[in-house]
Amino acid sequence: MNVGIDSISLCVPESYYSLADLAEKHGIDPNKYLYGIGQEKMAVPSPDEDIVTLAAGAAKPIVTDEVRDSISTVILATESGVDQSKSAGLFVHGLLGLKPNCRVVEFKQACYGATAALQMATDMVRQRPEQKILIIASDIARYEQDSQGECTQGAGALAMVVSANPRILNLHRARGMHSFDVMDFWRPNNHKAAQVDGQLSIEVYLESMRQAWNEYKADGGHELAELPWLCFHQPFTKMAKKAFTALTESEPEQGQALTGESYEHSLLYGRQIGNTYTASLYIGLLSLLENNPQDLTDQNIGLFSYGSGSVGEFFSASVVPGYREHLRTEEHQQMLADRQALSHEKYSAWFYQSLADHKNQVMPKLSNRPYRLEKVEEFRRVYGVNDARANEIKQAS
Ligand code: HMG
């Protein structure tokens, strides 16, 4: 039985900050960010957007009336959770009107969380093929202002329904994992922004990938020459290029046959959005599927997921005939094209705003995405529906 991704959908904030503007602010050559890091824009959430509104916005178009009642489990993967106890997925469960007979949990292991969710969901569906599992990866990547990491921020959410006989991607059984305890990137409980040892994080990412690749092959995975398309976790798009070079160098004979074409379409969305932690690999996958002009039917894709701290996993999938009919390419490209640029002052005010000290706060009405954070009341978050947009999406789906 084939199991994998049946539908996939993206939601990003309506605003972005240009990395050319950030370079000017930092007084450095913009080419460092545009080419050295490989990023053009970072998505910036407004004060009434958070990982819940982004997650619900991503999931809404694929939770159609047809699939709603077959969703047995919601797994929301994030490392920018809004509560230490309650799963953010429960807010989404309520906003989307999912059935009560459903389990809802939150997964955390840095950027790797959504891959754990996807692999566990796949195994669960193999056991009970009648069920569908909703996975949402939603994150806001935030570093200290004026730090080296500031140029690698971003925000966004990616939702996928995992099912038997999927319409987009069949996941293969072979998997290679590699975990070890390292402090390359972390965020203490009382910090809004991540702490990072940037150069160490790049080294351990690459080492994790080499080890996970060897484990994948040992688990019966494909040879590199049988994976014409590749997607890597992309905290910034240059990192995917480094990963491609390291992987092909580790297999000198087979690696020679692969060119930059095998991963370059996977970078197009990430270059415009920035790091989205758990969602980043899957936004890369979506970018490959939606932007590659070639017909990818029946072709294999190799994927590498990395979460600092650290866990890496190499796995693979193949593209299902007719996949293009089930993508939302036009909608996603329009969503990215319609965003507004922010001034440095506004980016800074929005990105570094903190709700932590606000027991009660009414949020200004800024977002036009399907859902928004309306207010915080006695530390309780209250979400609302932007009716016009929600109805528009419902009609289109
Ligand atoms: P940095 O030290 O300021 O940058 O920060 P750099 O000096 O290494 O330069 C970056 C690149 O720009 C270099 O290219 C330079 O040569 C080039 P490379 O040698 O790497 O190919 N450059 C230029 N290019 C063109 N024109 C110029 C120019 N000047 C320089 N004028 C760093 C970079 C990524 C370390 C920093 O931004 C950072 O700390 N970011 C956050 C950490 C990160 O993203 N790590 C990635 C691996 S870990 C991971 O992916 C997990 C993560 O997603 C978290 C999670 O799992 O939850 C982060």
Side-chain angles (χ1 to χ4, degrees), residues 13 42-45 51 54 78-80 111 138-144 149-156 185 187 192-194 233-236 273-280 347 351-352:
M42 57 165 99
V44 179
I51 60 135
L54 292 169
T78 188
E79 55 176 303
S80 25
C111 302
S138 186
D139 265 307
I140 298 171
R142 196 184 268 120
Y143 295 88
E144 304 282 355
E150 188 180 4
C151 60
T152 61
Q153 299 176 124
F185 167 106
R187 185 165 68 82
K192 283 271 166 199
H233 167 55
Q234 40 179 283
F236 51 96
I273 299 170
N275 197 355
T276 48
Y277 293 157
T278 51
S280 155
Y347 141 71
F351 217 53
Y352 293 96

Side-chain angles (χ1 to χ4, degrees), residues 162-337:
V162 173
S163 76
N165 304 315
R167 295 172 300 174
I168 297 178
L169 220 56
N170 290 325
L171 285 176
H172 301 157
R173 280 178 186 266
R175 303 156 182 186
M177 284 79 76
H178 185 71
S179 296
F180 63 109
D181 181 4
V182 59
M183 293 300 278
D184 60 329
F185 167 106
W186 64 104
R187 185 165 68 82
N189 282 343
N190 56 353
H191 280 54
K192 283 271 166 199
Q195 309 293 300
V196 66
D197 184 337
Q199 296 306 333
L200 175 69
S201 74
I202 292 172
E203 283 165 33
V204 291
Y205 172 120
L206 295 175
E207 183 54 20
S208 173
M209 186 193 62
R210 290 185 200 99
Q211 300 288 348
W213 166 248
N214 288 336
E215 297 293 347
Y216 165 79
K217 278 195 307 180
D219 197 42
H222 289 281
E223 296 294 332
L224 190 53
E226 296 167 332
L227 298 171
W229 307 105
L230 293 163
C231 291
F232 303 95
H233 167 55
Q234 40 179 283
F236 51 96
T237 65
K238 180 70 160 297
M239 190 67 228
K241 186 175 184 194
K242 288 179 192 287
F244 174 77
T245 305
L247 183 61
T248 48
E249 281 176 3
S250 75
E251 296 281 347
E253 275 180 31
Q254 300 201 11
Q256 272 177 3
L258 293 176
T259 66
E261 204 201 348
S262 64
Y263 71 97
E264 66 193 11
H265 291 98
S266 74
L267 310 184
L268 298 179
Y269 287 167
R271 200 174 156 80
Q272 305 294 322
I273 299 170
N275 197 355
T276 48
Y277 293 157
T278 51
S280 155
L281 170 67
Y282 298 96
I283 290 178
L285 171 64
L286 185 70
S287 182
L288 169 70
L289 294 171
E290 294 191 342
N291 292 304
N292 195 318
Q294 295 189 45
D295 180 5
L296 304 183
T297 299
D298 290 329
Q299 298 197 28
N300 294 330
I301 303 176
L303 298 111
F304 175 63
S305 175
Y306 177 73
S308 285
S310 78
V311 182
E313 181 162 341
F314 201 102
F315 60 108
S316 58
S318 50
V319 182
V320 175
Y323 71 101
R324 279 203 175 115
E325 289 163 42
H326 305 291
L327 296 172
R328 317 179 72 82
T329 308
E330 221 173 290
E331 193 180 306
H332 293 149
Q333 291 179 349
Q334 202 61 51
M335 180 188 286
L336 290 171

Side-chain angles (χ1 to χ4, degrees), residues 95-136:
L95 289 168
L96 296 181
L98 296 176
K99 64 178 182 183
N101 182 15
C102 176
R103 69 173 70 76
V104 182
V105 288
E106 187 167 309
F107 274 16
K108 178 179 74 176
Q109 181 12 64
C111 302
Y112 170 75
T115 301
L118 180 62
Q119 297 293 25
M120 289 183 195
T122 303
D123 288 345
M124 287 163 77
V125 173
R126 285 191 178 118
Q127 292 249 337
R128 291 175 176 245
E130 73 287 356
Q131 66 179 0
K132 291 184 166 57
I133 298 185
L134 175 63
I135 292 172
I136 316 173

